[in-house]
Amino acid sequence: MAPSVAARILDADARARLSALSEVDLGLIAADFDTPKARAALADAEVLFTCWGAARVDEAVLTAAPRLRAVVHAAGSVKHHLTDACWERGLIVSSGAAVNALPVAEYTVASVLFANKRVLQIRDAYRTERRSIDWDARYPGFGNYRRTIGIVGASRIGRRVLELLRAFDFELLVHDPYLTTDQATALGARRVDLDELVRRSDVVSVHAPELASTRHLLDRRRLALMPDGATLINTARGSLVDQEALTAELAAGRLHAVIDVTEPDVLPAESPLYELPNVLLTPHIAGSLGGELRRMVEHALDELERYTRGVPFAYAVEPETLTHSA
């Protein structure tokens, strides 16, 4: 992992537990495998403990690590650093994707509730006018009762969002090409095609993976299908939404949006998305950050402990799922 990442996630308790579970040089934080010290460590390594900023584990790295058997990743996707050679070698891999899904789902649910309640718009109006206002007259039908929420992607995050939203008086729709009707019903939702979902939903929340097939999944045509006043939430990846088309809809005032991911990751300073009153724009903070990093590290150490006891990982990554998951 990157040394700056190690400084953030490996506090004294985590370092102590890591040392108790394994023979580890806590002074060796390898952002790449080309240094003499890293190469020497690879020769004896049985497990790689990785996080953001990990170097790619390719055939050359595997050749230098003949004893390597497992990778424990204290973050979400492993696509950025594990290559096909890892799966051909038969490495077993654990990921923190399931626990990283929790704060993203929480952010999403909060966004759904605030969007339907028109919190941003009412805050701005109240701040400007500073008087008693008939909010029902200004925002007819605002609120959360019997609203329709559409979830795009029954990923770990999407499923957790559906689970949390079941506590409210919502109609839940879901679109996922790999989800059956019975599976959707078990999640408390109705499976529909994507066009129907965007056409019917008061809030559309995107939780699909970033793949070649999902680029601009919500394109100009589908955005135009959304009802006037509907809200789009994107906590997945910026590439899933046609950002130019969305910006046009938002600038026209027809839609609202909660956007945590953009393309590029940091928008140019002149982007109108920074200033539009119907946009809540955040800098990719929905996932694990701050105190939430501790959950991911504790999860990874739990998985490492399972390995030391000869018990299968609780959250093993199955290579065959990587073609249609994050």
Side-chain angles (χ1 to χ4, degrees):
M1 66 189 72
S4 59
V5 172
R8 290 165 58 198
I9 71 169
L10 296 177
D11 61 15
D13 290 342
R15 287 171 174 266
R17 189 176 175 200
L18 187 55
S19 296
L21 289 170
S22 61
E23 294 182 18
V24 59
D25 179 358
L26 291 172
L28 175 56
I29 308 297
D32 62 67
F33 296 113
D34 293 330
T35 66
K37 193 174 182 181
R39 284 284 174 179
L42 280 177
D44 292 324
E46 184 178 350
V47 179
L48 292 180
F49 190 87
T50 66
C51 194
W52 298 305
R56 284 173 63 81
V57 183
D58 56 18
E59 190 64 55
V61 172
L62 293 174
T63 299
R67 298 183 63 237
L68 188 64
R69 297 292 177 267
V71 177
V72 175
H73 189 52
S77 177
V78 299
K79 286 184 176 181
H80 305 293
H81 67 300
L82 298 191
T83 64
D84 289 344
C86 297
W87 309 114
E88 293 165 4
R89 169 83 161 259
L91 296 185
I92 58 172
V93 178
S94 171
S95 160
V99 294
N100 190 50
L102 303 181
V104 182
E106 293 164 357
Y107 175 106
T108 300
V109 171
S111 298
V112 169
L113 297 176
F114 268 37
N116 286 329
K117 202 71 173 176
R118 292 288 177 251
V119 167
L120 288 181
Q121 290 71 44
I122 291 174
R123 177 206 61 182
D124 291 345
Y126 192 45
R127 177 183 290 169
T128 300
E129 301 183 38
R130 305 191 183 197
R131 62 185 177 84
S132 178
I133 297 171
D134 184 347
W135 300 114
D136 278 315
R138 184 168 294 191
Y139 301 102
F142 82 107
N144 283 291
Y145 184 59
R146 292 191 174 178
R147 289 294 183 127
T148 300
I149 314 300
I151 303 300
V152 181
S155 59
R156 290 183 183 88
I157 297 169
R159 288 168 186 256
R160 179 59 175 162
V161 170
L162 286 168
E163 180 184 345
L164 293 173
L165 290 178
R166 289 174 71 173
F168 300 92
D169 292 311
F170 291 137
E171 179 184 4
L172 302 177
L173 306 179
V174 62
H175 169 77
D176 189 308
Y178 299 95
L179 190 73
T180 68
T181 298
D182 288 344
Q183 288 170 332
T185 300
L187 292 169
R190 189 160 75 82
R191 180 178 178 269
V192 296
D193 67 37
L194 186 52
D195 283 2
E196 180 180 351
L197 184 146
V198 297
R199 187 183 295 113
R200 291 187 51 201
S201 297
D202 298 296
V203 178
V204 174
S205 191
V206 183
H207 303 288
E210 183 177 44
L211 306 169
S213 60
T214 60
R215 178 168 181 79
H216 289 188
L217 186 65
L218 294 182
D219 56 10
R220 187 176 301 275
R221 182 186 69 82
R222 286 193 170 122
L223 291 170
L225 292 177
M226 293 179 64
D228 291 352
T231 299
L232 177 69
I233 300 172
N234 188 8
T235 59
R237 287 293 184 268
S239 66
L240 273 67
V241 178
D242 181 338
Q243 192 165 284
E244 181 179 345
L246 176 61
T247 301
E249 293 277 18
L250 295 169
R254 199 183 74 80
L255 298 178
H256 304 266
V258 178
I259 306 171
D260 188 53
V261 286
T262 55
E263 197 176 36
D265 286 338
V266 179
L267 291 172
E270 64 272 15
S271 171
L273 295 178
Y274 286 113
E275 301 292 341
L276 287 172
N278 50 341
V279 176
L280 173 57
L281 177 67
T282 54
H284 206 159
I285 62 166
S288 297
L289 287 172
E292 294 160 342
L293 295 175
R294 185 179 182 91
R295 179 197 284 131
M296 285 208 306
V297 173
E298 289 176 352
H299 162 84
L301 292 171
D302 287 345
E303 291 287 78
L304 180 59
E305 183 174 352
R306 293 178 72 87
Y307 178 84
T308 66
R309 293 191 284 112
V311 177
F313 288 139
Y315 296 90
V317 177
E318 302 296 339
E320 60 270 17
T321 68
L322 294 178
T323 57
H324 59 269
S325 65

